[in-house]
Amino acid sequence: TTSLTLAIAACGTLAQAITGSATGSAAAPEPQRSVRALAAPDLGRGVNFGNMLEGPFEGAWGLTVEERFFDVAVQAGMEHIRLPISWTHHAADTAPYTIDPAFMDRVQWRVDQALARNLKIIVNVHHYDEINADPVAEAPRVLAIWQQIATTFADAPPSVVFEVLNEPHGVFNDQPALWDALLVDALNVIRQTNPRRWVLAGPTSWNAIGALDTWNPPADPRLMVTVHHYEPFGFTHQGATWVDPSPPVGTTWDPDPV
C-alpha cells in the first residue's frame, strides 16, 4: 500500500472544545503549523479479526481468537492483523477505570502471537457506544483505558500500531471539533509512554472519506490516517444482518456503473 505523508494542522484539547476555544469553534482558526513529514510504515495486506473481542465476553458473538488463525493469516499472505477490541466490557465504570488484568493478558497473548509470526498488529478501541453518545462525560474513561493500553505495550516493537477509536460517529458527527480535541488528549496520553508509536485515526461519520474536509487532526508526525469506504454499499454489505433492508446475497461487482 502507499504510505501517506502529511502536514497536519494544529488542534485544541477536549477541554478547549467545551469552552469554545478549540479549532472549529466560533473563534478565528489557529494558523496551520507544518510537521516534519515521516513515511508511514507499509502495513501491507491485512485481515480484521472481527467479532472475537467485540462482544461482552470472548465468544459471545460466535468466535474466539485461536492460535491457528494467525497461521492461516500468514498462509494467506497477510502482513498485518487488525484486532478490534471492546474494552468497555472489561474496564470499570468508575475511576481509575481499571481494565481486568486477565483480559489484558489475553490481548497481550494475541499481540505476541502476531509478532511471533512477523505480523504487524493494530490494537484498537472498538464499539465504544458511550463515547459516541456523550464524548464529554466519557472522556476520562477512554483516556484512562488508553493510558493502560499504552503502558502495557510501551516496550512493544514498532510493528504494534494503535488505533484510537474505530469509526467515531454520533455526537462527533454534529460536533467534529469534539473528536479533534479528544484525539489530541488521547495522543497526549499515549505519547507519555509511547513517544514514537505509530497511531491510526480518521474522520467522523464512521471514518468516512467524505468527512475528511471537516477533520482537523493534531500535529503529530506519527499519526496515520485511516478511512473506511463502503461503496457500492449493495455490494459490500450484501447479506449484512445489521442492515435493514439487507442487500441481497449474490450481488456482483460492477466496475463501471451507469
Side-chain angles (χ1 to χ4, degrees), residues 173-238:
N173 290 354
D174 299 325
Q175 302 180 63
L178 290 179
W179 169 234
D180 298 340
L182 181 62
L183 182 55
V184 170
D185 291 339
L187 283 168
N188 286 340
V189 169
I190 291 169
R191 292 300 175 224
Q192 291 174 14
T193 51
N194 291 257
R196 297 176 60 82
R197 179 79 52 203
W198 282 97
V199 178
L200 277 168
T204 60
S205 299
W206 294 271
N207 289 148
I209 291 176
L212 282 170
D213 60 351
T214 64
W215 187 37
N216 183 27
D220 188 305
R222 292 182 181 272
L223 180 66
M224 299 170 64
V225 175
T226 180
V227 292
H228 295 180
H229 188 57
Y230 298 118
E231 298 299 332
F233 193 82
F235 177 79
T236 64
H237 279 65
Q238 53 188 294

Side-chain angles (χ1 to χ4, degrees), residues 63-171:
L63 283 173
T64 60
V65 181
E66 301 178 28
E67 184 173 354
R68 66 183 181 89
F69 292 172
F70 296 92
D71 294 324
V72 170
V74 171
Q75 293 162 9
M78 299 299 154
E79 299 173 63
H80 80 267
I81 301 294
R82 183 171 180 257
L83 190 64
I85 305 168
S86 183
W87 297 91
T88 51
H89 294 299
H90 307 279
D93 294 330
T94 56
Y97 309 104
T98 303
I99 296 170
D100 177 9
F103 182 75
M104 183 66 85
D105 287 345
R106 285 289 288 160
V107 174
Q108 178 74 69
W109 177 85
R110 292 163 180 81
V111 171
D112 291 344
Q113 294 303 310
L115 298 179
R117 293 162 175 81
N118 294 317
L119 289 165
K120 308 174 193 76
I121 186 164
I122 300 167
V123 176
N124 88 348
V125 168
H126 216 88
H127 287 311
Y128 199 146
D129 296 334
E130 298 89 344
I131 196 74
N132 291 298
D134 193 344
V136 175
E138 282 293 316
R141 190 179 186 214
V142 73
L143 296 177
I145 287 171
W146 266 116
Q147 186 275 329
Q148 294 170 80
I149 298 170
T151 299
T152 297
F153 296 104
D155 295 326
S159 47
V160 175
V161 175
F162 293 158
E163 182 182 4
V164 174
L165 180 65
N166 175 68
E167 298 190 338
H169 57 276
V171 172

Side-chain angles (χ1 to χ4, degrees), residues 2 5 11 14 23 36 45 56 65 80 110 123 154 168 184 230 244:
T2 303
T5 55
C11 182
L14 184 59
T23 301
R36 184 171 62 88
R45 296 177 65 195
V65 181
H80 80 267
R110 292 163 180 81
V123 176
V184 170
Y230 298 118
D244 186 19

